[in-house]
Amino acid sequence: MSRDWAINAQYAERYNPADAVFDAARTIAADYAVTPLSANTAGLLRLLTQLAKPASALEVGTGTGTGTLAIMRGMPAGGVLTSIDVDADKQAVARELLGAARIRPHCVRMIHGRGEDVLARLAPGGYDLVFLDSEPLTYPRLVPLAIERLSADGLLIINQALLGDAVAKPANRAPRTQVMRTVLSDIEARTDIERLMIPIDAGLLVLRRLGQ
């Protein structure tokens, strides 16, 4: 990120509304060696959720709850989020923070397990919004499964899509970078989705599954 981009990001972080529970989730993330969403990315995720109005949403990568909180802040009344993570301890932290945010427990279903294993068991076409915030090396398996789980016109939002500035640098041949480039190329070749890459933080890719 250039110096100007960094200055703009810092200004936006200060300008956008504060959220005490979200700030707590970000602070706690350091204790669990988790990279939390920035306030800017979380704010965009919340806005996209508000616009999508999902009755049913899905998250892969609960972490300490920064994405979970953002989605639930944007969910319509009666909407239900299913959140998946391999670490039950982090999910327990996220659930406690959701309680502090006064989000009703029945609106969030936590599932402990590997993202690709759980996704494969979920109903195809059953989710209006899916958010992937997992290790990018798993994206070749996760992304096709996530697209299959989307309803017509549903949104798939993929965090770390640019791996910061790594993907855009041809000289960067690291394994994670190569994998992410392949994922992006496979997405580009599909005719059943629309795509928009947003160069915020580590990159946010927004896909819409075209109606059948």
Side-chain angles (χ1 to χ4, degrees):
M1 181 180 291
S2 71
R3 183 173 181 275
D4 288 344
W5 274 98
I7 291 171
N8 287 338
Q10 291 168 4
Y11 181 88
E13 291 262 357
R14 295 192 302 270
Y15 179 81
N16 292 331
D19 183 326
V21 180
F22 175 82
D23 290 343
R26 279 179 55 83
T27 299
I28 295 169
D31 297 333
Y32 287 86
V34 175
T35 301
L37 298 186
S38 74
N40 292 331
T41 295
L44 181 55
L45 177 59
R46 175 180 178 173
L47 179 60
L48 289 170
T49 305
Q50 287 174 327
L51 294 173
K53 298 181 175 63
S56 184
L58 179 62
E59 174 187 40
V60 180
T62 312
T64 56
T66 52
T68 317
L69 283 164
I71 294 169
M72 291 310 302
R73 297 287 200 199
M75 287 280 279
V80 176
L81 170 65
T82 298
S83 187
I84 304 163
D85 203 288
V86 295
D87 192 324
D89 290 338
K90 285 183 285 193
Q91 286 189 319
V93 171
R95 186 170 289 285
E96 185 175 345
L97 290 168
L98 289 170
R102 298 184 178 179
I103 293 170
R104 290 174 292 179
H106 70 273
C107 293
V108 182
R109 179 174 64 148
M110 299 280 188
I111 298 179
H112 175 224
R114 293 199 318 159
E116 52 264 48
D117 295 339
V118 178
L119 282 180
R121 299 197 301 266
L122 299 177
Y127 297 87
D128 306 311
L129 182 143
V130 179
F131 178 53
L132 296 185
D133 187 20
S134 189
E135 164 54 50
L137 289 172
T138 67
Y139 283 176
R141 299 184 298 277
L142 285 177
V143 170
L145 286 168
I147 292 173
E148 289 174 5
R149 268 74 207 156
L150 283 178
S151 61
D153 296 318
L155 293 185
L156 170 58
I157 304 168
I158 303 173
N159 194 31
Q160 303 187 73
L162 292 172
L163 296 177
D165 60 1
V167 170
K169 291 182 175 179
N172 190 318
R173 311 295 289 179
R176 292 170 89 240
T177 307
Q178 297 279 61
V179 165
M180 199 65 231
R181 288 189 184 121
T182 299
V183 170
L184 295 178
S185 179
D186 290 345
I187 289 171
E188 189 176 2
R190 297 186 66 136
T191 60
D192 59 340
I193 53 177
E194 292 181 338
R195 66 185 187 277
L196 177 65
M197 180 70 78
I198 303 174
I200 181 174
D201 296 322
L204 205 65
L205 179 59
V206 182
L207 308 176
R208 182 175 74 90
R209 186 173 189 182
L210 299 177
Q212 303 299 314

